[in-house]
Amino acid sequence: MLEASSSHIVRAVSILIAACLAVFPAQAQYSGGTGEPNDPYQIATAEDLITLGETPEDYDKYFVLTADIDLDPNLPGRKVFNEAVIGSFSGVFDGDGHTISHLVIAGGSYLGLFGHVFPHAVVENLGVVEVNITGSGFRVGGLVGDNHGTVTHCHSTGAVSGDGTVGGLVGGNAWTIYLRRLVAVVTQCYSTAVVSAEDNVGGLVGSAGGTVSNCYSTGGVSGDDSVGGLVGINDGGTLTACYATDSVNGTDSVGGLVGLNIDGALTACYATSSVSGTDDVGGLVGGNSGPLIACYATGSV
C-alpha cells in the first residue's frame, strides 16, 4: 500500500513539474528580446556576443547591441579567437551606435567580427575599435571578412593583416554566382586601421565588386599587388563620394584611392595619400580600365 501511495506521489510531482515548464518559458540566452524585427535579441555583454557566435541557428534573427562591449582577451571569459566571432550571418545586427573593442583573432581565412554576411543581411551603426586581426589566408576584415549584404554606418580602428583580399573594415565586397552579380553595399563607413597583405589590400575594402559610397580611410596600407588607400581592387564595382588620406606602399598596381580598377566607375572621389610603388602607380588609381568622373588626387607619388 505504501509503495502504491509513493508511486502516485511521484507521478503527481512529475505532472506538476511538466505543467510548470509549459507555463514558464525557458530562460533567454541573451539579455532580452525574441529575435523578431520589432523585438530584437539584446546583446549587452561579452557573454551574450560569444553565445551568439556559438548559436548558428540564430544567425538569421534580429539583434541590437545595447552597450559597449570589451573583448580584451585578458578579461575574464574572453579569449583570442581563431575564427570569426559570428560565422555566416543572414539576419540584421544593429549596433545602435555602440562599439565592440579589442577583438583579437589569429586564424586563417574569412576573419572579422563576422565571417560572412549573406545577401539581404544588414550590419549597421556599429564600431569595432582597436581590433588586432591576423589571418594566414584571404578575405579578412576588421568587421566583415566576406560581405554579400549591406554594411552601413560602421567603422573600424586597429590593425588588420592577411594574405589576400584584406581590408580595414571589409575583406571582400560582393560576389558573382551563375554569371549574375549579386551586389553588396558598403556605405557611410570609415576605417583608420593599419592594413597589410600580399595582394588586393585596401584601407577600407580589399576587393570591391559592389557599391562603396560616402566612405573614407585614413589608415596606412601596405602590400605587393593591387594596393589602394581605400580599395585594393575594384572589379566592376561603383565608388562614389569616397576618399583616402594615408600612405600607400606596394609594388604593382598601387593607388592612393584604388590599386587596380577593372571596368569599375569612380565618381566624386579623391585621395591625398602619399603613394610609392614600382609599376602602375598613381595618386588616385594605379591600374585603370574604367571611367573616372570628377575625381582628383593631391598626394606625392
Side-chain angles (χ1 to χ4, degrees):
M1 180 69 70
L2 183 59
E3 286 186 10
S5 177
S6 298
S7 177
H8 286 304
I9 293 173
V10 170
R11 187 178 297 112
V13 170
S14 299
I15 293 172
L16 181 60
I17 291 173
C20 290
L21 290 175
V23 173
F24 297 104
Q27 184 176 358
Q29 56 183 339
Y30 307 112
S31 290
T34 61
E36 298 300 319
N38 60 348
D39 187 27
Y41 282 131
Q42 297 174 22
I43 305 298
T45 65
E47 182 181 9
D48 285 344
L49 189 62
I50 292 171
T51 297
L52 166 57
E54 295 172 347
T55 314
E57 58 268 29
D58 286 345
Y59 284 179
D60 62 345
K61 303 298 192 300
Y62 288 73
F63 297 86
V64 62
L65 194 62
T66 60
D68 294 342
I69 292 177
D70 192 343
L71 289 179
D72 189 331
N74 295 311
L75 294 174
R78 280 67 157 181
K79 63 180 180 179
V80 174
F81 295 85
N82 60 11
E83 59 185 1
V85 179
I86 301 167
S88 299
F89 187 71
S90 58
V92 173
F93 192 103
D94 183 0
D96 198 29
H98 293 290
T99 62
I100 295 171
S101 60
H102 303 115
L103 169 61
V104 180
I105 304 177
S109 299
Y110 299 97
L111 301 183
L113 180 66
F114 297 86
H116 304 262
V117 172
F118 279 3
H120 311 301
V122 177
V123 178
E124 59 186 355
N125 308 317
L126 177 62
V128 285
V129 299
E130 295 303 318
V131 302
N132 185 352
I133 299 177
T134 305
S136 60
F138 54 90
R139 295 194 179 268
V140 180
L143 179 65
V144 179
D146 192 29
N147 178 48
H148 307 158
T150 296
V151 176
T152 179
H153 291 93
C154 294
H155 68 273
S156 63
T157 72
V160 182
S161 65
D163 188 1
T165 310
V166 178
L169 189 76
V170 174
N173 188 54
W175 66 349
T176 302
I177 186 170
Y178 301 128
L179 303 180
R180 184 169 66 94
R181 176 74 70 180
L182 298 178
V183 176
V185 175
V186 177
T187 184
Q188 300 283 348
C189 295
Y190 72 89
S191 177
T192 66
V194 175
V195 187
S196 61
E198 290 298 317
D199 52 36
N200 299 348
V201 50
L204 187 81
V205 178
S207 175
T211 297
V212 180
S213 64
N214 296 286
C215 294
Y216 68 89
S217 171
T218 62
V221 184
S222 61
D224 190 2
D225 297 332
S226 300
V227 184
L230 188 83
V231 172
I233 181 170
N234 180 41
D235 187 1
T238 301
L239 273 63
T240 305
C242 295
Y243 68 89
T245 64
D246 212 320
S247 61
V248 182
N249 299 292
T251 303
D252 299 327
S253 298
V254 186
L257 190 78
V258 178
L260 177 60
N261 181 47
I262 304 173
D263 299 329
L266 278 61
T267 304
C269 295
Y270 71 90
T272 63
S273 315
S274 60
V275 186
S276 64
T278 303
D279 298 313
D280 293 336
V281 183
L284 186 76
V285 177
N288 179 59
S289 61
L292 310 178
I293 305 167
C295 297
Y296 69 90
T298 63
S300 61
V301 181

